[in-house]
Amino acid sequence: MFKISSLTAAVLLATVAVSARAGEVEVLHYLTSGGEAKSVVELKKIMQAKGHTWKDFAVAGGGGDNAATVLKSRVVSGNPPAAAQVKGPAIQEWAAEGVLANLDKIANAEKWDSLLPKAVADVMKYKGNYVAVPVNVHRVNWVWANPEVLKKAGVAGMPKNYDEFFVAADKIKAAGLIAVAHGGQNWQDFTTFESVVLGVGGARFYNDALVKLDAKSLNSDTMKKSLETFRRIKGYTDAASAGRDWNLTTALVMQGKAGFQFMGDWAKGEFLAAGKVPGKDFLCAAAPGTANAYTFNVDSFAMFKLKAADAQKAQGDLATAIMGTEFQEVFNLNKGSIPVRLNMKMDKFDDCAKTSAKDFVDTAKTGSLVPSIAHGMAVSPAAEGAIKDAVSQFWNNDKISVADAMKAITSAAATK
Ligand code: BGC
């Protein structure tokens, strides 16, 4: 007779149990640069360790516009992925279509309400039910710099305001290097623009103009000054920036070809993936005039309704993994962001991340923690897209006057 030992039986049973529960999880994301890819692979590893199959659906394109287009066609054709990198008000729009899964069973069991800042949890919920899971907090209002370039050009330190910034930029230009590394895509123009508005006008003005879309603020002297400053920065970029990806732009700073880059802290993920050391090989500082303010950008995965039980199980395990301390640490160490889960230990994180974590808490208290409009956190995707286009047209066409740009931005802000 065929005999099996009790140990073998236990192993067999366990295997059967795992495979009965294991499913495939298809994840649509735009995490394709060096640092981004390193971070998303951590999620894949965790899911594979749980016995699930990871189906990677990466759509290249910084800022996620391409991914959003691909997602739309998948959902419209009735074949959504299990999870997609979607954030901010776009989560509400997808939920209103009735295509997102209700994650409350898991969220309640794991007490997500107590693990997340309330402002973040609210964005993840539709009509009080969790439909998305947050992975991180990115700060957008950063400037990155190459200390060697600054030294060569005779720049003493990171500029604290725009007067200092332009003095530094002139010196770098005079040294024959690119003062501002800038990539040529509308979302990159918009990223720089929102940091300039924050630096010139302060958090309250930013909030009125770029979150509330108040017409008076959009047509004010402060907006005029912001646009003038923004245009002035363009004079320090190189002629080859058109169409350039953000990570190739970061590489210019890394290679000592350029001094500064305005970019969110996913740029730090690039420096780290290339083995660069913060404080030594590269510097981070709040964008000029913004040390006491914080534009936040919370990446998250929206979970779509699935039919098969094993796929639902895999999706639930993905949600649990994302909220877990293991993932929140390792993902964010690679991504350049900080964990969104509260009370995480920060000892493995570098000083840029520690500054970000401290400023996130401090600015929340002073009311200068504001959502990034350029990164899908502040207004509807339709208004965001229209304002982004108006800002980019101004950046790319020196013939457009500041007054006309203000008009164009104001009418774009009314887009529904
Ligand atoms: C996302 C980041 C991403 C960056 C570049 C931002 O909108 O929040 O996660 O790294 O775009 O693609």
Side-chain angles (χ1 to χ4, degrees), residues 143-159 165 168-169 171-172 175 177-179 253 256 258-261 282-285:
V143 165
W144 306 91
N146 183 315
E148 276 303 309
V149 171
L150 300 193
K151 206 169 141 204
K152 245 188 238 167
V155 175
M158 291 299 268
F165 177 80
K171 287 186 180 168
I172 299 170
L177 296 161
I178 303 167
V253 178
F260 299 118
Q261 183 187 17
F282 69 96
L283 306 175
C284 63

Side-chain angles (χ1 to χ4, degrees), residues 4 44 56 59 124 126 144 148 162 220 255 258 288 376:
I4 46 173
K44 177 179 173 177
D56 200 55
V59 182
M124 302 301 135
Y126 178 67
W144 306 91
E148 276 303 309
Y162 279 105
S220 60
Q255 294 155 1

Side-chain angles (χ1 to χ4, degrees), residues 30 36 62-63 85 87 138 187 246 266 297 299 335 375:
Y30 48 98
E36 291 173 337
Q85 197 186 345
K87 58 185 161 171
H138 270 303
W187 70 270
W246 68 271
W266 45 94
N297 168 22
D299 281 316
K335 187 72 170 69
H375 292 278

